[in-house]
Amino acid sequence: DRVPAGGAVVNHIALHCLTPTLPFGGVGASGMGAYHGEWGFQALSHRKAVLEKTFALLAEGTGIPLADFETAAADPTKYGLPKQAPSLEGFLFPATYDVAVPADADTLVTDQLAAFDATWASVDMRYAAAHDLTPYDVLKIASIVEREAKAPVDRAKVAAVIYNRLRQGMSLGMDSAVQYAVGSWRELTAADLEVDSPYNLRVRRGLPPTPICNPGLAAMQAAAAPAKADYLYMYAIKGDPQGRHYFTS
């Protein structure tokens, strides 16, 4: 009935159901609830349009003007992000943050980016570098792993599929990127699979232009050190309660 003591709402759908009933003004940032004079939120964003909706929810929940969040996110380079990163997508580390009230947009965004930096620094990039992948490439792979691997045991295997397909010049065939392109994590239609987008990895070769979500540490680690396997294909095991995949070459 209420947000737990940690203040985070993990379920994206539950966020919208809980918004009108939470104390102290509601929810923002895909899981923001007020409690005892502080704000706790969990950062979860999808594509750029959804990132903007996240800022709108955050503005509603905190009373900070939406324009302040848009301004804070307008120039990713001011936070030291790679020049090729057109937005904050991928860098808003998914964790729970407690921020004293009143807060400002720059502080909230900076806290998330600081958490990303601290976590990212712990990821060993040597294997990826040896395969001619940049750190930003690894972040893109991690975002796909985050969306594709429902079971923890699958993370490194999904990463292996990506590495092997990149090496062989194959399209990655990852539906999560197509979902990102159409702006919804729903089940894809035949028309969706033909969408003309650089994120349609069914038809486009290589990695997507940007990350497709904000990955957690486990996905980052898997993306930097994939399973040592020759997998090229993965199939969801129908009815598996853990959401596992079957992998094959």
Side-chain angles (χ1 to χ4, degrees):
D1 295 333
R2 299 169 68 89
V3 172
V9 177
V10 178
N11 187 294
H12 186 65
I13 302 300
L15 163 68
H16 299 290
C17 296
L18 290 170
T19 299
T21 62
L22 291 172
F24 303 103
V27 176
S30 200
M32 182 161 192
Y35 62 100
H36 302 301
E38 295 184 342
W39 293 99
F41 64 92
Q42 185 161 38
L44 301 170
S45 73
H46 309 307
R47 66 189 180 99
K48 187 173 184 290
V50 181
L51 184 62
E52 292 169 352
K53 292 178 183 177
T54 296
F55 287 141
L57 289 170
L58 188 55
E60 180 182 354
T62 62
I64 299 171
L66 173 60
D68 289 3
F69 287 102
E70 294 173 339
T71 299
D75 180 14
T77 60
K78 77 177 182 179
Y79 298 106
L81 269 59
K83 291 182 179 180
Q84 65 266 40
S87 76
L88 297 178
E89 189 73 87
F91 297 93
L92 298 176
F93 188 70
T96 300
Y97 302 84
D98 293 333
V99 182
V101 175
D104 61 84
D106 275 317
T107 297
L108 297 181
V109 170
T110 299
D111 285 350
Q112 291 175 269
L113 296 177
F116 171 87
D117 287 341
T119 304
W120 192 242
S122 71
V123 180
D124 187 344
M125 295 288 176
R126 289 177 294 181
Y127 183 88
H131 288 76
D132 298 321
L133 294 173
T134 68
Y136 194 49
D137 289 335
V138 175
L139 185 60
K140 295 176 188 179
I141 294 172
S143 72
I144 297 173
V145 171
E146 184 72 47
R147 291 301 313 173
E148 292 285 345
K150 307 303 181 187
V153 69
D154 282 354
R155 291 190 184 108
K157 297 175 184 177
V158 172
V161 171
I162 295 172
Y163 272 70
N164 293 336
R165 282 179 164 254
L166 286 174
R167 185 171 59 251
Q168 296 198 21
M170 301 171 65
S171 63
L172 298 187
M174 298 291 174
D175 286 348
S176 56
V178 183
Q179 291 173 313
Y180 183 87
V182 301
S184 173
W185 300 123
R186 60 171 168 73
E187 186 174 348
L188 295 171
T189 66
D192 291 335
L193 298 179
E194 297 178 2
V195 64
D196 182 14
S197 168
Y199 292 91
N200 187 348
L201 301 188
R202 285 283 191 119
V203 296
R204 303 291 182 102
R205 290 188 173 89
L207 293 168
T210 69
I212 63 171
C213 72
N214 297 300
L217 176 59
M220 293 176 179
Q221 292 171 328
K228 303 301 189 293
D230 59 358
Y231 300 137
L232 290 173
Y233 304 95
M234 48 185 278
Y235 306 92
I237 300 175
K238 187 175 182 179
D240 185 80
Q242 299 179 41
R244 291 173 297 182
H245 289 76
Y246 173 74
F247 296 86
T248 181
S249 58

